[in-house]
Amino acid sequence: MRRPLESQVLLKDLLSDYYTKLARADVPVAWCTSVGPAELLRSFGFEVYFPENHGALIGARRQGAQYIPAAAGAGYSTDICSYLTADIGAFLSGETPLDMYGLKELPRPSVLVYNTSQCREVKEWFTFYGEKFGVPVIGIETPQNIDYPDQPLLDYLEACWRSIITQLETISGRPFDTEKFQQVTDLSGQACALWQAFLESNQSVPALHTFFDHIILMAPVVVLRGTQQAVDFYRSLTAEVSAIDGSRFREHKRFYWEGMPIWGKIKFLSTLFNRYNISIVSSTYCHSWAFDFRAAQALASSVSAYAGIFIIRSQEYKLNYLKDVCRRFNVDAVIFHDAKTCPYNTNSRFGMPAKLKAQTGLPVMTFYGDLVDLRHFSEEEFALRLEAFIEQIG
Amino acid sequence: LNKSDDPQFIGLDLGSSYIKAVVPGAANQPAATFLLRTGYSYSGALSEITAHFKHNGAIVGDNVQIGVTGYGRDQCDALVRKTEIFALAEGMKRSGIFDATLVDIGGQDSKVLKIRQGKLIDHALNRRCAAGTGSYLEFLSFRLNMDVTEMNRLAGMESDYHPLNSFCTVFAGTEILDCIKKQISLPKLIRGMYASVAERVREMTSLEAPVYLSGGVTAHHPQLLDVFKTILGVDAVQAPHPQYLAALGIALHAKEHYTHVIKGENI
């Protein structure tokens, strides 16, 4: 049986330091989307705060149903992203799960910077806070459904980035420091490469770790990429994983997880899959932060990396990606999470499961849930679906 | 006659609305069946079922082995415990049907099973919503103050139907109030309810022939078969023992498990 990785203890200290630093009034803070230009912001001397991480924390503490109605009452529909509604609802309620790190309220931003490379919701989300705090909201408008990021698209996006740089120079009162940006990008690149290597180590049979480890251990590559701490953390994780002897782990089947995590059901789901000796070996979600940054071409590689993420790619690209990753990780079946409030990170609504099944022969199962709003998820229903699926595939 | 030391088997389908129980007999047919409302205590229900079968002579002696399926399958001791999807597929296979699309419409969910060469190859469940399930028809029958036999009879008087637009059971109830005000004929209205159930099933997956219908809803509203044919264009037939199919399947599976695994016999 797998044991929790020791790195999870290190992670607690690391995140505690991160949030404590954000709470210091003397540090200028920029808010950024999780696949936004964090490296750029760090190069301008900002500490970076990620509202999506806050939404996930609310989800993990199962407080979504407590806060979402407050946002809905303020006009933010329960049908839109539940990260957004849970986060805005908590803000309107004057509460935050960051209180466990000593923060009584969210760190006050100097600027909010988004990238629509994941969804359009982030722009509306940041606009809400921009109006509340009276600070600028700037962003990169990345189009959706990209088959391949070609040169005209990259040229357009690079122009967006240069515009952001100009605006950040004004907001921060500092000139853009190319060398610093390269240093930060280099650190991001190192962390992402280590993260990718960690995820790929799960090609081993039996798997050394599971999706439920990944969604905990991904925190530094999201909130601390561009820092030495993230690099050190993933080096330590790599060392720990390389020492694991997985040969005696029991593994009946290997599954792939497509879609968002259900933050408030991590324990329930990991226990359930464990009961059947099923390893969820890999996921699209956790691979989304394995960016390919190169310090020597810091701007160009950043533009390209953020334009190439799975969520904004075409259906054809996504299908080919899934076929490749399922082969690479030697999976026996794929489960698709149809997240009620996240159409962008739900890939079961345009026939993808049926196509994947037809082209690979892999059994697929789609289930209904949500990332934060647990009213859309039923433990009983999921347990039945999974048990029947296992009975079906043997 | 059963020798007192031979085990006898009961298949239990612990559903959301009803508990269905079967004692299997010769040629994989039910020798006895029993139906009771799902109450608070599954173990109390099991005692009641056993007492009933002993009283009517379907069970003799105390060597009784249980196979259990349905939502309450974790709530009582049993020789075998499987999902109702597995049990339904077993029920079909042991009734001699090896290739089928089985639509099971139960109290709180609808399921579609695809069985090929006796093997379950795929299944689908409805979304987390009562629309299109037995609860939907129960709620609407309450609104109309009408029992299910009467609903079924009236639906058979019309070939046309009044479409109901609401996905939501509660809003469908409101829509029915509007239909009453507009004096939509009852047969058209009830047939519209059945059409709504059929349409929800069609949304779940493709329905390749031959299509069979099972479940309590099918058993008590056989006009649904006609609605599937006229509205969906699906030539569906009723599955064997529609309300007891899962209970029969799990009972026969328990019997086979006992013979092969417990006694180690090859038959």
Side-chain angles (χ1 to χ4, degrees):
Chain A
M1 177 158 176
R2 293 182 195 91
R3 291 182 179 170
L5 295 166
E6 291 289 322
S7 297
Q8 295 199 9
V9 179
L10 287 177
L11 180 63
K12 282 185 182 167
D13 294 339
L14 190 61
L15 291 177
S16 182
D17 289 348
Y18 163 68
Y19 288 115
T20 306
K21 199 169 181 185
L22 279 174
R24 280 169 38 194
D26 60 329
V27 181
V29 174
W31 289 20
C32 186
T33 49
S34 64
V35 288
E39 294 74 17
L40 208 50
L41 296 169
R42 290 198 191 283
S43 79
F44 274 99
F46 291 108
E47 285 299 319
V48 187
Y49 166 77
F50 298 86
E52 285 151 84
N53 175 246
H54 192 244
L57 278 174
I58 293 170
R61 289 179 70 165
R62 294 184 283 281
Q63 292 175 315
Q66 181 182 334
Y67 296 134
I68 288 169
Y76 289 84
S77 165
T78 54
D79 289 336
I80 63 172
C81 170
S82 58
Y83 275 168
L84 182 162
T85 50
D87 175 71
I88 287 180
F91 177 82
L92 294 172
S93 306
E95 295 174 11
T96 170
L98 298 179
D99 58 4
M100 64 180 158
Y101 298 109
L103 277 77
K104 297 293 175 211
E105 56 189 18
L106 302 180
R108 188 179 176 81
S110 301
V111 60
L112 299 102
V113 185
Y114 64 84
N115 187 343
T116 61
S117 56
Q118 55 200 110
C119 62
R120 62 152 292 186
E121 262 93 334
V122 292
K123 182 177 181 179
E124 313 305 331
W125 189 353
F126 278 31
T127 300
F128 169 86
Y129 283 112
E131 289 168 359
K132 291 290 175 193
F133 289 111
V135 296
V137 180
I138 57 179
I140 300 160
E141 306 278 348
T142 307
Q144 298 280 325
N145 200 28
I146 299 167
D147 196 30
Y148 182 79
D150 57 14
Q151 200 53 51
L153 174 65
L154 294 174
D155 290 346
Y156 155 73
L157 289 170
E158 186 168 326
C160 293
W161 278 68
R162 291 192 183 282
S163 168
I164 295 283
I165 290 169
T166 305
Q167 292 174 79
L168 287 174
E169 285 180 323
T170 306
I171 293 162
S172 68
R174 290 184 182 196
F176 177 51
D177 183 338
T178 309
E179 198 174 323
K180 178 72 177 163
F181 180 53
Q182 284 178 332
Q183 286 169 5
V184 175
T185 304
D186 182 47
L187 289 170
S188 258
Q190 288 183 52
C192 290
L194 288 162
W195 173 242
Q196 165 102 14
F198 164 69
L199 294 175
E200 296 291 333
S201 71
N202 234 18
Q203 290 181 29
S204 63
V205 181
L208 301 175
H209 33 83
T210 79
F211 172 64
F212 302 107
D213 299 311
H214 305 167
I215 56 178
I216 305 296
L217 295 165
M218 67 188 282
V221 83
V222 178
V223 301
L224 283 165
R225 66 177 186 277
T227 69
Q228 187 63 46
Q229 293 103 301
V231 176
D232 294 344
F233 175 79
Y234 288 116
R235 279 193 183 134
S236 165
L237 178 63
T238 303
E240 184 186 356
V241 169
S242 65
I244 295 174
D245 174 12
S247 60
R248 286 194 296 175
F249 292 163
R250 294 170 70 184
E251 184 170 270
H252 175 55
K253 295 283 181 190
R254 296 164 66 83
F255 281 14
Y256 184 84
W257 181 286
E258 209 318 291
M260 294 294 292
I262 303 178
W263 290 106
K265 293 292 175 185
I266 295 172
K267 190 172 180 189
F268 164 76
L269 291 167
S270 62
T271 304
L272 190 63
F273 281 102
N274 219 17
R275 185 191 302 167
Y276 299 111
N277 291 318
I278 289 172
S279 310
I280 300 191
V281 296
S282 185
S283 68
T284 321
Y285 182 72
C286 291
H287 268 274
S288 296
W289 280 268
F291 296 111
D292 180 17
F293 294 123
R294 279 154 287 141
Q297 297 97 30
L299 185 59
S301 71
S302 296
V303 168
S304 172
Y306 286 118
I309 61 174
F310 181 89
I311 191 170
I312 47 166
R313 303 300 287 272
S314 66
Q315 289 290 101
E316 187 182 355
Y317 172 88
K318 287 178 177 177
L319 183 60
N320 287 330
Y321 176 94
L322 291 175
K323 282 158 60 178
D324 177 62
V325 78
C326 288
R327 181 192 49 74
R328 215 165 67 231
F329 282 85
N330 196 21
V331 305
D332 299 302
V334 180
I335 53 177
F336 284 81
H337 175 196
D338 187 320
K340 172 71 176 169
T341 70
C342 187
Y344 304 94
N345 238 338
T346 293
N347 287 297
S348 56
R349 297 181 184 174
F350 294 95
M352 183 83 77
K355 283 182 189 168
L356 187 65
K357 184 179 177 182
Q359 293 184 26
T360 63
L362 288 171
V364 297
M365 177 184 114
T366 300
F367 74 96
Y368 302 103
D370 193 55
L371 46 162
V372 172
D373 194 342
L374 296 179
R375 295 171 296 185
H376 299 299
F377 179 77
S378 158
E379 288 187 0
E380 174 63 38
E381 181 189 333
F382 184 84
L384 170 65
R385 294 296 315 274
L386 183 65
E387 192 176 339
F389 188 59
I390 293 164
E391 286 171 349
Q392 180 189 310
I393 65 177
Chain B
L1 279 177
N2 182 58
K3 287 186 287 180
S4 61
D5 58 339
D6 285 345
Q8 285 187 281
F9 299 90
I10 298 177
L12 289 179
D13 177 4
L14 305 181
S16 60
S17 300
Y18 288 93
I19 296 175
K20 286 79 71 177
V22 167
V23 176
N28 290 346
Q29 295 295 305
T33 61
F34 187 48
L35 182 74
L36 72 164
R37 291 290 306 213
T38 303
Y40 181 74
S41 166
Y42 282 117
S43 57
L46 181 56
S47 302
E48 189 179 340
I49 289 163
T50 309
H52 171 84
F53 284 141
K54 283 187 173 179
H55 179 73
N56 72 6
I59 291 286
V60 178
D62 293 324
N63 191 358
V64 177
Q65 299 290 344
I66 304 289
V68 65
T69 185
Y71 273 92
R73 66 189 176 282
D74 294 327
Q75 302 297 313
C76 67
D77 292 333
L79 178 66
V80 294
R81 193 188 312 278
K82 292 284 185 181
T83 67
E84 52 269 47
I85 292 159
F86 175 93
L88 286 164
E90 283 291 294
M92 290 291 276
K93 189 171 71 177
R94 289 164 194 279
S95 298
I97 302 167
F98 297 96
D99 291 282
T101 300
L102 177 68
V103 178
D104 184 84
I105 305 172
Q108 73 173 24
D109 60 24
S110 301
K111 309 173 190 77
V112 180
L113 285 72
K114 298 193 177 181
I115 301 163
R116 300 290 178 269
Q117 297 179 329
K119 189 171 163 33
L120 177 69
I121 60 156
D122 204 359
H123 70 272
L125 266 75
N126 63 320
R127 298 187 73 123
R128 199 178 167 214
C129 171
T133 70
S135 300
Y136 171 82
L137 292 176
E138 266 182 25
F139 178 78
L140 297 181
S141 73
F142 173 78
R143 272 293 170 96
L144 292 172
N145 191 24
M146 186 178 291
D147 70 30
V148 294
T149 310
E150 183 64 358
M151 282 176 77
N152 187 64
R153 188 185 70 79
L154 287 168
M157 294 169 63
E158 259 289 356
S159 56
D160 196 10
Y161 72 105
H162 180 81
L164 294 172
N165 297 313
S166 302
F167 278 144
C168 170
T169 299
V170 175
F171 288 158
T174 309
E175 198 176 339
I176 279 172
L177 290 179
D178 192 46
C179 293
I180 292 169
K181 277 195 289 186
K182 289 176 180 162
Q183 291 288 291
I184 304 292
S185 84
L186 261 178
K188 273 189 183 178
L189 185 54
I190 293 166
R191 209 168 168 80
M193 295 174 197
Y194 289 172
S196 186
V197 171
E199 292 287 5
R200 293 294 278 183
V201 169
R202 179 157 65 176
E203 286 176 7
M204 291 164 60
T205 185
S206 55
L207 300 174
E208 293 92 3
V211 177
Y212 291 80
L213 264 59
S214 67
V217 171
T218 309
H220 294 286
H221 302 266
Q223 275 298 324
L224 259 177
L225 293 167
D226 192 53
V227 168
F228 265 68
K229 185 170 187 175
T230 55
I231 296 172
L232 298 192
V234 172
D235 206 356
V237 297
Q238 204 166 60
H241 325 292
Q243 194 163 14
Y244 294 97
L245 186 62
L248 177 64
I250 200 67
L252 293 169
H253 178 69
K255 190 174 178 181
E256 184 183 83
H257 180 85
Y258 183 87
T259 308
H260 282 266
V261 180
I262 309 294
K263 289 187 74 180
E265 288 179 5
N266 289 318
I267 51 172

